[in-house]
PDB file of all heavy atoms in Angstrom:
ATOM      1  N   SER E 363      10.322  16.829  -4.463  1.00  0.00           N
ATOM      2  CA  SER E 363       9.301  17.871  -4.599  1.00  0.00           C
ATOM      3  C   SER E 363       9.873  19.103  -5.272  1.00  0.00           C
ATOM      4  O   SER E 363      11.056  19.405  -5.136  1.00  0.00           O
ATOM      5  CB  SER E 363       8.783  18.248  -3.196  1.00  0.00           C
ATOM      6  OG  SER E 363       7.881  19.328  -3.267  1.00  0.00           O
ATOM      7  N   VAL E 364       8.999  19.797  -5.983  1.00  0.00           N
ATOM      8  CA  VAL E 364       9.280  21.135  -6.511  1.00  0.00           C
ATOM      9  C   VAL E 364       8.360  22.087  -5.751  1.00  0.00           C
ATOM     10  O   VAL E 364       7.149  21.868  -5.718  1.00  0.00           O
ATOM     11  CB  VAL E 364       8.944  21.223  -8.018  1.00  0.00           C
ATOM     12  CG1 VAL E 364       9.054  22.662  -8.521  1.00  0.00           C
ATOM     13  CG2 VAL E 364       9.843  20.295  -8.826  1.00  0.00           C
ATOM     14  N   TYR E 365       8.942  23.085  -5.097  1.00  0.00           N
ATOM     15  CA  TYR E 365       8.081  24.026  -4.363  1.00  0.00           C
ATOM     16  C   TYR E 365       8.173  25.416  -4.976  1.00  0.00           C
ATOM     17  O   TYR E 365       9.164  25.764  -5.615  1.00  0.00           O
ATOM     18  CB  TYR E 365       8.450  24.072  -2.871  1.00  0.00           C
ATOM     19  CG  TYR E 365       9.787  24.722  -2.570  1.00  0.00           C
ATOM     20  CD1 TYR E 365       9.891  26.106  -2.408  1.00  0.00           C
ATOM     21  CD2 TYR E 365      10.943  23.961  -2.476  1.00  0.00           C
ATOM     22  CE1 TYR E 365      11.120  26.712  -2.146  1.00  0.00           C
ATOM     23  CE2 TYR E 365      12.172  24.565  -2.213  1.00  0.00           C
ATOM     24  CZ  TYR E 365      12.248  25.932  -2.048  1.00  0.00           C
ATOM     25  OH  TYR E 365      13.462  26.532  -1.808  1.00  0.00           O
ATOM     26  N   HIS E 366       7.109  26.193  -4.777  1.00  0.00           N
ATOM     27  CA  HIS E 366       7.178  27.622  -5.100  1.00  0.00           C
ATOM     28  C   HIS E 366       6.193  28.368  -4.220  1.00  0.00           C
ATOM     29  O   HIS E 366       5.332  27.769  -3.577  1.00  0.00           O
ATOM     30  CB  HIS E 366       6.967  27.888  -6.588  1.00  0.00           C
ATOM     31  CG  HIS E 366       5.583  27.700  -7.106  1.00  0.00           C
ATOM     32  ND1 HIS E 366       5.047  26.465  -7.364  1.00  0.00           N
ATOM     33  CD2 HIS E 366       4.616  28.596  -7.427  1.00  0.00           C
ATOM     34  CE1 HIS E 366       3.819  26.610  -7.845  1.00  0.00           C
ATOM     35  NE2 HIS E 366       3.518  27.897  -7.880  1.00  0.00           N
ATOM     36  N   SER E 367       6.362  29.681  -4.184  1.00  0.00           N
ATOM     37  CA  SER E 367       5.488  30.491  -3.341  1.00  0.00           C
ATOM     38  C   SER E 367       4.468  31.225  -4.196  1.00  0.00           C
ATOM     39  O   SER E 367       4.698  31.479  -5.380  1.00  0.00           O
ATOM     40  CB  SER E 367       6.307  31.505  -2.543  1.00  0.00           C
ATOM     41  OG  SER E 367       6.903  32.454  -3.404  1.00  0.00           O
ATOM     42  N   HIS E 368       3.343  31.519  -3.567  1.00  0.00           N
ATOM     43  CA  HIS E 368       2.354  32.433  -4.138  1.00  0.00           C
ATOM     44  C   HIS E 368       2.313  33.650  -3.232  1.00  0.00           C
ATOM     45  O   HIS E 368       1.821  33.567  -2.110  1.00  0.00           O
ATOM     46  CB  HIS E 368       0.963  31.772  -4.202  1.00  0.00           C
ATOM     47  CG  HIS E 368       0.799  30.838  -5.352  1.00  0.00           C
ATOM     48  ND1 HIS E 368      -0.363  30.136  -5.584  1.00  0.00           N
ATOM     49  CD2 HIS E 368       1.654  30.507  -6.357  1.00  0.00           C
ATOM     50  CE1 HIS E 368      -0.206  29.408  -6.689  1.00  0.00           C
ATOM     51  NE2 HIS E 368       1.008  29.603  -7.164  1.00  0.00           N
ATOM     52  N   PRO E 369       2.874  34.774  -3.704  1.00  0.00           N
ATOM     53  CA  PRO E 369       2.934  35.953  -2.847  1.00  0.00           C
ATOM     54  C   PRO E 369       1.549  36.462  -2.407  1.00  0.00           C
ATOM     55  O   PRO E 369       1.390  36.868  -1.265  1.00  0.00           O
ATOM     56  CB  PRO E 369       3.655  36.984  -3.712  1.00  0.00           C
ATOM     57  CG  PRO E 369       4.493  36.159  -4.655  1.00  0.00           C
ATOM     58  CD  PRO E 369       3.645  34.953  -4.943  1.00  0.00           C
ATOM     59  N   GLU E 370       0.584  36.423  -3.306  1.00  0.00           N
ATOM     60  CA  GLU E 370      -0.697  37.076  -3.011  1.00  0.00           C
ATOM     61  C   GLU E 370      -1.899  36.147  -3.069  1.00  0.00           C
ATOM     62  O   GLU E 370      -2.997  36.558  -2.714  1.00  0.00           O
ATOM     63  CB  GLU E 370      -0.961  38.188  -4.043  1.00  0.00           C
ATOM     64  CG  GLU E 370       0.205  39.104  -4.289  1.00  0.00           C
ATOM     65  CD  GLU E 370       0.032  40.436  -3.612  1.00  0.00           C
ATOM     66  OE1 GLU E 370      -0.922  40.601  -2.834  1.00  0.00           O
ATOM     67  OE2 GLU E 370       0.879  41.325  -3.864  1.00  0.00           O
ATOM     68  N   THR E 371      -1.710  34.959  -3.605  1.00  0.00           N
ATOM     69  CA  THR E 371      -2.874  34.114  -3.872  1.00  0.00           C
ATOM     70  C   THR E 371      -2.811  32.844  -3.014  1.00  0.00           C
ATOM     71  O   THR E 371      -1.765  32.512  -2.463  1.00  0.00           O
ATOM     72  CB  THR E 371      -2.939  33.734  -5.375  1.00  0.00           C
ATOM     73  OG1 THR E 371      -1.694  33.118  -5.747  1.00  0.00           O
ATOM     74  CG2 THR E 371      -3.163  34.963  -6.248  1.00  0.00           C
ATOM     75  N   PRO E 372      -3.938  32.147  -2.900  1.00  0.00           N
ATOM     76  CA  PRO E 372      -3.953  30.930  -2.084  1.00  0.00           C
ATOM     77  C   PRO E 372      -3.040  29.829  -2.633  1.00  0.00           C
ATOM     78  O   PRO E 372      -2.589  29.900  -3.781  1.00  0.00           O
ATOM     79  CB  PRO E 372      -5.418  30.479  -2.153  1.00  0.00           C
ATOM     80  CG  PRO E 372      -6.188  31.684  -2.552  1.00  0.00           C
ATOM     81  CD  PRO E 372      -5.269  32.488  -3.426  1.00  0.00           C
ATOM     82  N   ALA E 373      -2.805  28.829  -1.795  1.00  0.00           N
ATOM     83  CA  ALA E 373      -1.926  27.716  -2.149  1.00  0.00           C
ATOM     84  C   ALA E 373      -2.684  26.705  -3.009  1.00  0.00           C
ATOM     85  O   ALA E 373      -3.083  25.639  -2.546  1.00  0.00           O
ATOM     86  CB  ALA E 373      -1.388  27.057  -0.880  1.00  0.00           C
ATOM     87  N   ARG E 374      -2.903  27.056  -4.262  1.00  0.00           N
ATOM     88  CA  ARG E 374      -3.484  26.088  -5.196  1.00  0.00           C
ATOM     89  C   ARG E 374      -2.843  26.279  -6.562  1.00  0.00           C
ATOM     90  O   ARG E 374      -2.301  27.339  -6.866  1.00  0.00           O
ATOM     91  CB  ARG E 374      -5.005  26.202  -5.250  1.00  0.00           C
ATOM     92  CG  ARG E 374      -5.513  27.560  -5.654  1.00  0.00           C
ATOM     93  CD  ARG E 374      -7.010  27.505  -5.958  1.00  0.00           C
ATOM     94  NE  ARG E 374      -7.486  28.848  -6.218  1.00  0.00           N
ATOM     95  CZ  ARG E 374      -8.185  29.583  -5.350  1.00  0.00           C
ATOM     96  NH1 ARG E 374      -8.526  29.093  -4.182  1.00  0.00           N
ATOM     97  NH2 ARG E 374      -8.558  30.803  -5.659  1.00  0.00           N
ATOM     98  N   MET E 375      -2.928  25.239  -7.376  1.00  0.00           N
ATOM     99  CA  MET E 375      -2.307  25.273  -8.700  1.00  0.00           C
ATOM    100  C   MET E 375      -3.057  26.278  -9.575  1.00  0.00           C
ATOM    101  O   MET E 375      -4.257  26.121  -9.814  1.00  0.00           O
ATOM    102  CB  MET E 375      -2.350  23.883  -9.350  1.00  0.00           C
ATOM    103  CG  MET E 375      -1.537  22.813  -8.631  1.00  0.00           C
ATOM    104  SD  MET E 375       0.262  22.888  -8.949  1.00  0.00           S
ATOM    105  CE  MET E 375       0.382  21.939 -10.482  1.00  0.00           C
ATOM    106  N   SER E 376      -2.325  27.277 -10.040  1.00  0.00           N
ATOM    107  CA  SER E 376      -2.928  28.253 -10.951  1.00  0.00           C
ATOM    108  C   SER E 376      -2.988  27.643 -12.356  1.00  0.00           C
ATOM    109  O   SER E 376      -2.357  26.621 -12.626  1.00  0.00           O
ATOM    110  CB  SER E 376      -2.081  29.523 -10.977  1.00  0.00           C
ATOM    111  OG  SER E 376      -0.817  29.242 -11.559  1.00  0.00           O
ATOM    112  N   ASP E 377      -3.720  28.285 -13.244  1.00  0.00           N
ATOM    113  CA  ASP E 377      -3.767  27.812 -14.637  1.00  0.00           C
ATOM    114  C   ASP E 377      -2.358  27.750 -15.224  1.00  0.00           C
ATOM    115  O   ASP E 377      -2.016  26.810 -15.953  1.00  0.00           O
ATOM    116  CB  ASP E 377      -4.645  28.732 -15.491  1.00  0.00           C
ATOM    117  CG  ASP E 377      -6.114  28.628 -15.107  1.00  0.00           C
ATOM    118  OD1 ASP E 377      -6.491  27.654 -14.415  1.00  0.00           O
ATOM    119  OD2 ASP E 377      -6.894  29.532 -15.489  1.00  0.00           O
ATOM    120  N   GLU E 378      -1.554  28.767 -14.880  1.00  0.00           N
ATOM    121  CA  GLU E 378      -0.165  28.812 -15.356  1.00  0.00           C
ATOM    122  C   GLU E 378       0.649  27.643 -14.764  1.00  0.00           C
ATOM    123  O   GLU E 378       1.439  27.011 -15.470  1.00  0.00           O
ATOM    124  CB  GLU E 378       0.443  30.164 -14.939  1.00  0.00           C
ATOM    125  CG  GLU E 378       1.786  30.468 -15.546  1.00  0.00           C
ATOM    126  CD  GLU E 378       1.721  30.845 -17.026  1.00  0.00           C
ATOM    127  OE1 GLU E 378       0.648  30.714 -17.653  1.00  0.00           O
ATOM    128  OE2 GLU E 378       2.761  31.242 -17.552  1.00  0.00           O
TER     129      GLU E 378
END
Side-chain angles (χ1 to χ4, degrees):
S363 175
V364 172
Y365 70 86
H366 72 282
S367 66
H368 281 179
E370 313 256 8
T371 55
R374 58 168 175 257
M375 295 282 275
S376 66
D377 291 344
E378 190 74 351

